[in-house]
Amino acid sequence: MDKKLVYVDTDLGLGTPGAEIDDGAALVFLLRHPRVEIVCAGSVFGNVPLQDATLNLDRLLTWLGGEHIPIGVGAAKPLLADTQWFES
């Protein structure tokens, strides 16, 4: 059975008060899927600041046995879009 190799790019808010859990839930499903192999995961600004997203990603991967998966740290703010709408 061939596994699908996946890179996960996430603004993981799981564990941060008031943040959504959608990326965390998706990561759990991907880690547990028998035909998926996560080869790397990255954190970006979004639901939470970059530092929180990175820490949350590291914690969740470790908790689920994915500590061997490399983590890349991405953009701390959107490269093109204005985030003023997000701060309201």
Side-chain angles (χ1 to χ4, degrees), residues 2 4 13 15 32 35 39 48 53 60 78 83 85:
D2 290 332
K4 188 167 290 255
R32 297 298 186 238
R35 293 182 52 203
V39 294
V48 294
L60 187 58
T83 61
W85 66 270

Side-chain angles (χ1 to χ4, degrees), residues 27-60:
L27 189 58
V28 170
F29 285 117
L30 287 169
L31 282 166
R32 297 298 186 238
H33 197 289
R35 293 182 52 203
V36 170
E37 179 182 348
I38 299 176
V39 294
C40 189
S43 60
V44 294
F45 161 85
N47 287 325
V48 294
L50 178 60
Q51 183 178 1
D52 291 346
T54 305
L55 183 60
N56 291 339
L57 178 58
D58 184 50
R59 286 178 176 164
L60 187 58

Side-chain angles (χ1 to χ4, degrees), residues 66-86:
E67 57 275 336
H68 63 282
I69 298 170
I71 295 175
V73 180
K77 61 181 182 177
L79 301 177
L80 301 174
D82 177 14
T83 61
Q84 188 173 8
W85 66 270
F86 189 72

